């Protein structure tokens, strides 16, 4: 079977610890049981095949650790060599004892040879015992070395976390004065967390190694291992808690500045809306504007309430920073942070208050404009009402009554009708006066007061002229009907001298004047003319008057005929 021979090319040693040593091992030949190493000495080194190293082994070792590894290889090889030689010698002695001498000559062992076999066996047992004791010493040294290495790594982690790591957190106390500044601080904190995560990974690995050693269970090492594990865990958990606290603080600060920025934009939008002078065209547009203002103001109220909640949460977190101060006085840093948070909330409150005051002014102005538009609309409505009353007066108020009693009723109805028109006119005048006051308050010009007032005055003038004409005709009709009824009333006992024929002439004259009046139109100041009722209505009224005149004339003739017959006789 081919052999693979291994040769130790050499090692380099730097004696000032920690030193760097490199052991180069090249495979040459081997068999199933042994690996043969060639060294610079005359003594070969034998290792089991499973110990064969098939690659270059480089590592960083302390001076003592390197020597321990080299001595371990040397002693094992030397023990293996001596054990092999001892067993070969023992085997040879046994064969010479039982097989005799070479060439068929009887062999008699000498006394020394007889004593050699138990001595060799005793030496082999002693060698085996000494090597076993040596292995136990090596095991204890290896465990101590492993403990020292773990302790060294633990101290590296602890020293970095309590040193540079803590110093990084100690210098990070601000929360930023804006959303962008808070984001920059968060990015810086993420970089710090990234550096800590590398050491936390080492902590996890060390914790696993310590847990494995604890499970192995050497009583003498349990106290030291638990102490190392407890200290490492305390420092790492404390540092992780500080990192988490700082991250939560920055997240709350970012949310606070985000809400403040959004609220500031809402206030800017509301202020911009309030600074623009609006000129709504009607009441509906004003109501829509008022609704929009109220919605924006409600949104600002909600935003300010959210800012107060975020700010109070942030202040609570800032007040807890002192517990992570590492003995550093952070009162000034905390005071700056607290002053900044409170300043932002106070500034937003003042801005909101100013906007509310401006909204109140704008709301009052809008309501005044609504009132102005309402007054203008009602004034125009008053003009329309007067026009309707005038139209009704001309078209429907045309009867003069069939007798004096009916005429009196018509006069009374007309008086009430005029009172309604007068109230409408006064209402329109008051509305127009209110529009003047509102326009002066709003520093604007009315849309319709310039032409509504002339329209109101014009239609009122036309109504008064028409009403006066109506009253004059009713009074003439009342006089006509009263005198006619007095003449036409049957009075057999009335002496003839009591009837004055001038009354007949007066009634006839009033009747004819009334008939003439019916044909005369109402003439307005602008030159326009209007007639009461339709021609058929006027003809019907005139016909009734003529009938009464005829009756009066017939009565007169009846009175004159007896008087003529008396004179003839």
């Amino acid at each position: 079977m081919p052999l693979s021979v291994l040769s130790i090319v050499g090692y380099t040693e730097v004696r000032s610890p920690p030193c760097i040593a490199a052991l180069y091992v090249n495979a040459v030949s081997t068999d199933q049981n042994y690996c043969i190493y060639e060294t610079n000495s005359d003594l070969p080194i034998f290792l089991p095949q499973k110990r064969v190293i098939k690659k270059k082994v480089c590592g960083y070792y302390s001076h003592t650790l390197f020597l321990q590894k080299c001595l371990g290889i040397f002693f094992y090889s030397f023990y293996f060599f001596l054990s092999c030689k001892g067993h070969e010698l023992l085997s040879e002695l046994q064969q010479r004892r039982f097989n005799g001498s070479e060439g068929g000559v009887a062999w008699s062992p000498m006394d020394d040879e007889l004593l050699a076999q138990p001595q060799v066996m005793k030496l082999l047992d002693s060698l085996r015992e000494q090597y076993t004791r040596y292995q136990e010493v090596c095991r204890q040294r290896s465990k101590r070395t492993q403990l020292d290495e773990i302790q060294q790594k633990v101290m590296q982690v602890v020293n970095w976390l309590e040193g540079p790591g803590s110093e990084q957190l100690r210098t990070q106390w601000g929360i930023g004065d804006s959303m962008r500044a808070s984001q920059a601080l968060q990015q810086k904190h993420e970089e710090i967390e990234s550096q800590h995560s590398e050491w936390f990974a080492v902590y996890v690995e060390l914790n696993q190694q310590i847990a494995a050693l604890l499970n192995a269970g050497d009583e003498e090492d349990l106290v030291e291992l638990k102490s190392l594990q407890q200290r490492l865990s305390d420092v790492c958990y404390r540092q992780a808690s500080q990192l988490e606290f700082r991250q939560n603080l920055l997240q709350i600060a970012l949310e606070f500045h985000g809400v403040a920025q959004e609220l500031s934009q809402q206030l800017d939008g509301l202020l911009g809306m309030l600074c623009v002078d609006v000129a709504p065209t009607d009441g509906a547009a004003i109501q829509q504007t008022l609704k929009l203002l109220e919605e924006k103001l409600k949104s600002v109220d909600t935003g300010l309430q959210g800012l107060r909640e975020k700010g109070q949460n942030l202040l609570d977190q800032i007040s807890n920073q002192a517990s992570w101060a590492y003995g550093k006085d952070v009162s000034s840093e905390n005071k700056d942070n607290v002053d900044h948070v409170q300043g932002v909330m106070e500034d937003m409150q003042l801005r909101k208050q100013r906007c509310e005051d401006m909204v109140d002014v704008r709301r009052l102005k809008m309501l005044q404009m609504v009132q102005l538009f309402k007054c203008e609309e009602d004034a125009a409505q008053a003009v329309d009402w007067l026009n309707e009353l005038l139209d009704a007066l001309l078209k429907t108020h045309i009867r003069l009554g069939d007798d004096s009693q009916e005429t009196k009723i018509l006069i009374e109805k007309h008086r009430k009708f005029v009172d309604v028109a007068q109230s409408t006119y006064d209402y329109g005048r008051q509305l127009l006066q209110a529009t003047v006051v509102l326009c002066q308050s709003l520093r604007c010009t009315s849309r319709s007061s310039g032409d509504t007032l002339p329209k109101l005055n014009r239609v009122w003038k036309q109504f008064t002229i028409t009403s006066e004409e109506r009253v004059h005709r009713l009074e003439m009709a009342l006089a006509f009907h009263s005198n006619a009824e007095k003449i036409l009333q049957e009075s057999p006992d009335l002496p003839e001298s009591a009837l004055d024929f001038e009354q007949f002439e007066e009634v006839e004259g009033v009747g004819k004047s009334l008939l003439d009046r019916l044909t005369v139109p109402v003439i307005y100041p602008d030159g326009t003319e209007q007639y009461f009722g339709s021609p058929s209505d006027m003809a019907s009224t005139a016909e009734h008057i003529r009938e009464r005149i005829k009756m009066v004339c017939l009565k007169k003739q009846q009175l004159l005929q007896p008087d003529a017959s008396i004179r003839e006789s």
Side-chain angles (χ1 to χ4, degrees):
M1 182 178 293
L3 296 178
S4 176
V5 181
L6 301 181
S7 63
I8 299 178
V9 178
Y11 67 89
T12 303
E13 178 183 344
V14 180
R15 294 189 178 277
S16 57
C19 66
I20 303 174
L23 181 64
Y24 301 94
V25 181
N26 295 327
V28 179
S29 63
T30 184
D31 58 13
Q32 288 183 346
N33 299 318
Y34 308 105
C35 295
I36 304 173
Y37 287 78
E38 295 180 359
T39 66
N40 292 333
S41 64
D42 294 334
L43 184 63
I45 299 176
F46 297 89
L47 290 177
Q49 187 178 8
K50 64 179 180 179
R51 290 290 193 99
V52 174
I53 303 175
K54 297 185 179 180
K55 63 179 181 179
K56 173 182 175 181
V57 181
C58 295
Y60 296 92
Y61 303 102
S62 66
H63 179 70
T64 303
L65 183 60
F66 177 77
L67 290 180
Q68 288 178 358
K69 290 183 177 294
C70 291
L71 287 175
I73 295 174
F74 173 75
F75 282 127
Y76 180 80
S77 302
F78 189 61
Y79 161 74
F80 193 78
F81 172 74
L82 291 179
S83 179
C84 291
K85 291 299 183 181
H87 283 87
E88 290 178 0
L89 178 58
L90 183 60
S91 177
E92 182 179 352
L93 289 174
Q94 289 176 349
Q95 289 178 359
R96 290 179 63 182
R97 178 179 179 180
F98 294 104
N99 296 334
S101 60
E102 296 180 359
V105 179
W107 176 74
S108 298
M110 300 178 61
D111 293 338
D112 293 337
E113 290 178 347
L114 293 173
L115 295 175
Q117 183 174 354
Q119 289 179 353
V120 170
M121 294 177 64
K122 183 177 181 180
L123 287 174
L124 287 174
D125 293 338
S126 176
L127 179 63
R128 186 180 300 105
E129 180 182 355
Q130 292 294 328
Y131 186 72
T132 301
R133 291 170 56 190
Y134 168 74
Q135 283 183 324
E136 179 62 21
V137 171
C138 289
R139 190 185 68 80
Q140 293 294 333
R141 286 187 178 183
S142 176
K143 185 173 66 174
R144 182 71 258 174
T145 301
Q146 187 177 9
L147 289 176
D148 292 342
E149 182 180 357
I150 290 176
Q151 184 177 12
Q152 182 181 4
K153 290 182 179 180
V154 167
M155 294 309 300
Q156 287 178 353
V157 174
V158 170
N159 291 337
W160 189 91
L161 292 178
E162 292 183 343
S166 298
E167 185 62 28
Q168 288 178 346
L169 289 177
R170 190 177 293 115
T171 57
Q172 299 292 315
W173 291 100
I175 60 173
D177 56 359
S178 64
M179 188 173 180
R180 181 175 298 179
S182 295
Q183 289 174 342
L185 289 174
Q186 270 197 335
Q187 184 176 2
K188 177 64 178 177
H189 183 73
E190 290 175 357
E191 295 175 359
I192 295 175
E193 283 185 332
S194 177
Q195 296 179 16
H196 278 74
S197 64
E198 298 177 1
W199 291 96
F200 289 153
V202 177
Y203 155 72
V204 173
E205 181 180 354
L206 288 174
N207 199 36
Q208 293 175 350
Q209 293 179 5
I210 293 174
L213 292 177
L214 289 174
N215 292 331
D218 285 339
E219 294 293 336
E220 58 185 13
D221 299 328
L222 288 179
V223 176
E224 183 178 0
L225 286 173
K226 288 183 178 180
S227 176
L228 286 174
Q229 187 181 42
Q230 186 64 40
R231 183 178 182 186
L232 181 63
S233 297
D234 291 343
V235 173
C236 289
Y237 277 109
R238 183 173 66 250
Q239 198 77 356
S241 299
Q242 294 161 2
L243 288 170
E244 183 180 4
F245 175 84
R246 175 65 180 169
Q247 177 62 33
N248 293 336
L249 178 66
L250 291 177
Q251 182 62 35
I252 296 174
L254 181 63
E255 294 174 357
F256 171 77
H257 288 114
V259 173
Q261 180 176 330
E262 183 179 358
L263 178 59
S264 179
Q265 293 174 354
Q266 292 177 351
L267 288 170
D268 290 340
L270 179 58
L271 183 62
M273 182 178 178
L274 293 171
C275 290
V276 176
D277 193 13
V278 296
T281 57
D282 53 24
I286 293 177
Q287 293 296 339
Q288 184 66 26
T289 303
L290 286 175
K291 182 179 179 181
L292 182 60
L293 280 176
E294 295 296 337
E295 289 177 353
K296 285 186 173 293
L297 191 59
K298 184 177 180 180
S299 177
V300 168
D301 288 335
T302 304
L304 185 60
Q305 182 63 30
L307 182 68
R308 290 196 187 103
E309 293 176 359
K310 295 292 184 183
Q312 187 58 49
N313 191 12
L314 182 57
L315 290 175
D316 293 340
Q317 287 292 106
I318 292 174
S319 64
N320 294 330
Q321 277 198 119
S323 60
W324 308 105
Y326 298 102
K328 178 183 176 182
D329 184 12
V330 296
S331 59
S332 60
E333 288 85 350
N334 277 345
K335 185 177 184 302
D336 292 340
N337 293 335
V338 170
D339 291 344
H340 169 69
V341 174
Q342 292 178 346
V344 170
M345 292 192 293
E346 291 174 358
D347 179 64
M348 293 299 173
Q349 178 63 38
L350 290 175
R351 290 177 62 184
K352 174 183 175 290
Q353 186 62 47
R354 288 195 297 267
C355 286
E356 283 182 341
D357 295 340
M358 296 181 68
V359 167
D360 291 339
V361 174
R362 177 58 60 86
R363 185 186 294 112
L364 177 60
K365 183 178 180 180
M366 291 288 130
L367 293 176
Q368 287 179 338
M369 295 186 74
V370 170
Q371 187 176 3
L372 173 61
F373 291 156
K374 183 63 176 175
C375 289
E376 290 176 346
E377 292 174 359
D378 291 348
Q381 184 64 47
V383 174
D384 294 337
W385 287 341
L386 281 177
N387 280 320
E388 292 175 0
L389 292 174
L390 176 60
D391 188 63
L393 180 60
L394 288 170
K395 294 182 178 180
T396 61
H397 293 212
I398 55 177
R399 286 181 53 79
L400 299 178
D402 295 336
D403 51 33
S404 60
Q405 188 65 31
E406 184 180 0
T407 303
K408 289 179 181 179
I409 295 175
L410 290 175
I411 290 174
E412 184 63 27
K413 289 183 177 179
H414 180 72
R415 186 179 295 112
K416 294 180 180 179
F417 185 76
V418 172
D419 290 340
V420 172
Q422 182 68 50
S423 299
T424 303
Y425 172 72
D426 293 340
Y427 176 65
R429 291 281 298 183
Q430 292 173 2
L431 291 173
L432 291 176
Q433 290 175 357
T435 58
V436 172
V437 175
L438 289 172
C439 286
Q440 291 176 351
S441 176
L442 295 171
R443 297 179 182 179
C444 66
T445 58
S446 176
R447 301 174 302 168
S448 57
S449 60
D451 56 354
T452 303
L453 181 59
K455 288 180 179 179
L456 181 66
N457 291 332
R458 183 171 64 252
V459 70
W460 177 246
K461 185 66 175 178
Q462 292 175 352
F463 184 86
T464 54
I465 293 174
T466 307
S467 177
E468 290 173 358
E469 179 63 24
R470 172 69 173 167
V471 170
H472 190 65
R473 293 186 182 188
L474 287 172
E475 290 176 348
M476 289 180 66
L478 178 61
F480 171 75
H481 287 304
S482 297
N483 292 329
E485 290 172 357
K486 184 178 180 181
I487 293 173
L488 296 176
Q489 186 178 9
E490 296 183 356
S491 301
D493 299 333
L494 189 63
E496 296 178 359
S497 58
L499 294 174
D500 189 358
F501 288 99
E502 292 181 358
Q503 293 181 359
F504 289 93
E505 294 177 356
E506 183 181 353
V507 171
E508 292 176 2
V510 172
K512 292 179 180 180
S513 298
L514 184 55
L515 289 174
D516 294 337
R517 194 92 182 186
L518 292 177
T519 60
V520 177
V522 180
I523 302 175
Y524 299 133
D526 57 359
T528 58
E529 298 178 354
Q530 289 289 342
Y531 289 91
F532 281 96
S534 63
S536 61
D537 295 332
M538 289 191 296
S540 175
T541 302
E543 184 63 25
H544 179 70
I545 294 173
R546 290 190 186 97
E547 289 293 333
R548 296 300 292 260
I549 293 175
K550 288 180 180 180
M551 292 174 64
V552 171
C553 290
L554 181 60
K555 182 66 175 179
K556 179 181 178 182
Q557 291 176 1
Q558 290 176 356
L559 291 175
L560 289 176
Q561 286 178 358
D563 189 35
S565 64
I566 291 173
R567 284 196 300 268
E568 290 177 357
S569 63

